[in-house]
Amino acid sequence: MTLSMYQAAIPPMIRSLNSLVGILEKGAAYAEAKKIEPQVLIGFRLYPDMFPLSKQVQIASDIARRGAARLAGVEAPAMEDKETTFPELITRLKDTVAYLETLTPEQIDGTEKKTIELPVGSETLTFDGQSFLLYFVLPNVYFHVTTAYDILRHCGVEVGKRDYLGVA
Amino acid sequence: MTLSMYQAAIPPMIRSLNSLVGILEKGAAYAEAKKIEPQVLIGFRLYPDMFPLSKQVQIASDIARRGAARLAGVEAPAMEDKETTFPELITRLKDTVAYLETLTPEQIDGTEKKTIELPVGSETLTFDGQSFLLYFVLPNVYFHVTTAYDILRHCGVEVGKRDYLGVA
């Protein structure tokens, strides 16, 4: 068996988003144990002009969902950015995973050379499918999952590398 | 052309480590402009029991270097963790990139099913090559590059997503 676009994209993103569910669950438990308003953690930022935890989670969901859909040539389901609680953010991630699970190897495999046009502000970035996956989608998903982790770690939540890497 | 283990591993890690060079250069310039001792940034941690910036950089180098070498079935060059300045950390990353550039598609391609045994403390984790790359090496490299970015961002260095994603 050789590596394929599906295998490189979908199961690793599902793993990472599921790990983020576990990390958020630890954040929610920590808030409760320490009598911290959950909104303090959800709105926490590592710097004033950086996105808060909630937005890190929403972007991880967006990049994974839309990235996979673009490769498959389908429209990703819209999700409004209206989550304000840990359970809502967790539901967003579970819905994203459920969507990724609907995509099949037949839809994603063989998209290495597919032209992907990505609107970014007033620009359009053009990738082939392989570069889009390897240099945009995966690094971006890991960026936002890690930054969500870093925000909660910075706030004292006891998460570790195993929570980030997840399990098979 | 179909995706291969080499393409999924080596050029993306080179891209990410080169991006981290640029991020550290901005950190060094910021320290100089703000008259901050560079050691303050290099030793900065997001939480007291989390690794400082220097160690994040060293681990990103280790995972990339050793991960690629394990797939190729060769011994990675040893690197001592003795960097204490921005220029030394940048040299560490450039040496790591130079090493990755010596590895060839012939050495890495076709390693999907290769057994990889990874000593972690007193345990040994066993992966096949594809799982090792997709679920251990890549997420780990992105974790440490992102956390290095997050530490500097938290300290006020003006880095953005383009610095993280890098350019072709």
Side-chain angles (χ1 to χ4, degrees):
Chain A
M1 198 167 74
T2 58
L3 186 60
S4 76
M5 289 289 287
Y6 176 86
Q7 290 154 8
I10 305 302
M13 293 201 293
I14 289 173
R15 169 91 62 104
S16 187
L17 297 178
N18 278 331
S19 297
L20 185 51
V21 167
I23 290 164
L24 293 180
E25 286 170 348
K26 288 198 173 183
Y30 177 81
E32 190 172 348
K34 297 282 183 182
K35 305 202 186 313
I36 295 168
E37 276 295 320
Q39 266 60 35
V40 174
L41 299 183
I42 288 166
F44 203 92
R45 305 165 191 261
L46 289 176
Y47 200 71
D49 68 354
M50 214 172 160
F51 286 130
L53 177 62
S54 55
K55 191 76 182 167
Q56 301 293 345
V57 174
Q58 290 160 349
I59 298 177
S61 158
D62 288 348
I63 302 259
R65 210 171 70 252
R66 295 179 187 155
R70 278 202 173 82
L71 286 172
V74 297
E75 184 94 13
M79 293 189 182
E80 282 183 73
D81 292 340
K82 58 181 171 45
E83 297 86 3
T84 60
T85 68
F86 278 110
E88 286 170 0
L89 288 169
I90 287 167
T91 297
R92 164 86 169 242
L93 291 173
K94 288 185 174 175
D95 289 347
T96 305
V97 167
Y99 173 68
L100 293 177
E101 287 172 344
T102 68
L103 297 171
T104 63
E106 290 68 31
Q107 289 176 285
I108 307 277
D109 282 344
T111 57
E112 283 91 338
K113 294 284 164 209
K114 179 172 187 163
T115 299
I116 306 283
E117 297 195 329
L118 185 73
V120 177
S122 59
E123 287 181 272
T124 297
L125 299 180
T126 305
F127 298 88
D128 63 27
Q130 180 173 307
S131 299
F132 179 62
L133 175 62
L134 297 178
Y135 301 110
F136 186 85
V137 176
L138 291 178
N140 248 319
V141 168
Y142 290 126
F143 179 91
H144 292 286
V145 172
T146 299
T147 300
Y149 171 107
D150 283 345
I151 289 170
L152 288 175
R153 187 79 163 76
H154 180 68
C155 290
V157 179
E158 291 192 4
V159 283
K161 182 65 77 62
R162 276 168 198 256
D163 296 298
Y164 169 78
L165 288 178
V167 286
Chain B
M1 197 167 76
T2 58
L3 186 60
S4 76
M5 290 288 287
Y6 176 86
Q7 289 154 8
I10 305 301
M13 294 202 291
I14 289 174
R15 169 91 61 104
S16 187
L17 296 178
N18 278 331
S19 296
L20 186 50
V21 167
I23 290 164
L24 293 180
E25 286 170 346
K26 287 199 172 180
Y30 177 81
E32 190 171 347
K34 298 283 183 182
K35 305 204 186 313
I36 295 168
E37 277 294 321
Q39 265 60 34
V40 174
L41 299 183
I42 288 166
F44 202 92
R45 305 164 192 263
L46 289 176
Y47 201 71
D49 69 354
M50 215 175 159
F51 287 131
L53 177 62
S54 55
K55 191 76 182 168
Q56 302 292 344
V57 174
Q58 289 159 350
I59 298 177
S61 159
D62 287 349
I63 302 259
R65 211 171 70 250
R66 293 179 189 156
R70 278 203 173 82
L71 287 172
V74 297
E75 183 94 14
M79 293 188 182
E80 283 182 73
D81 292 340
K82 59 182 171 42
E83 296 86 3
T84 60
T85 68
F86 278 109
E88 286 170 0
L89 288 169
I90 287 168
T91 297
R92 165 86 170 241
L93 292 172
K94 289 185 174 174
D95 289 347
T96 305
V97 167
Y99 173 68
L100 293 177
E101 287 173 343
T102 68
L103 297 171
T104 64
E106 291 68 30
Q107 289 176 287
I108 307 277
D109 281 345
T111 56
E112 283 91 339
K113 294 285 163 210
K114 180 171 185 163
T115 300
I116 305 283
E117 297 196 329
L118 184 72
V120 177
S122 59
E123 287 180 272
T124 298
L125 300 179
T126 305
F127 298 88
D128 64 25
Q130 181 173 306
S131 299
F132 178 63
L133 175 62
L134 297 178
Y135 300 111
F136 186 85
V137 177
L138 291 179
N140 247 319
V141 167
Y142 290 125
F143 178 92
H144 292 286
V145 172
T146 299
T147 300
Y149 172 106
D150 283 344
I151 289 171
L152 288 174
R153 188 78 163 78
H154 180 69
C155 289
V157 178
E158 290 191 6
V159 282
K161 182 65 78 60
R162 275 168 199 256
D163 296 298
Y164 169 77
L165 289 177
V167 286

